[in-house]
Amino acid sequence: MSEKVTFIVSARIGPSYNEVEIEVDKAEYEAAEDKNAYEQELVDSYFPDLVEIGIGIKE
C-alpha cells in the first residue's frame, strides 16, 4: 500500500467555515515539479464542494 499525503482545503465566508480532506499518493505529490501549482490545482478542483455560489435578480 502506498503512502498518502492528506491536505486540508478550507474556505471561510463570513461565519461559515467548510473544509474537505484530500488524500493523494505521496509519490505523486513528491514527483510534482511545482508543489505550489499542484496544491493550487487541489484547491481549484475542490472549491465548488466547499462553497455554494449562486446568482439571482433582485426585484
Side-chain angles (χ1 to χ4, degrees):
M1 188 155 126
S2 63
E3 287 186 71
K4 301 285 185 183
V5 174
T6 302
F7 291 94
I8 308 288
V9 178
S10 59
R12 180 183 305 275
I13 297 178
S16 297
Y17 178 82
N18 295 319
E19 69 178 35
V20 64
E21 291 186 10
I22 307 164
E23 279 194 353
V24 297
D25 287 328
K26 187 174 183 179
E28 177 185 326
Y29 175 67
E30 290 178 349
E33 287 185 32
D34 185 345
K35 303 277 192 280
N36 289 329
Y38 183 91
E39 293 167 5
Q40 187 61 50
E41 283 182 36
L42 289 176
V43 170
D44 293 346
S45 64
Y46 281 87
F47 189 74
D49 295 337
L50 294 167
V51 180
E52 246 185 72
I53 298 173
I55 187 167
I57 297 173
K58 182 176 178 179
E59 294 185 28

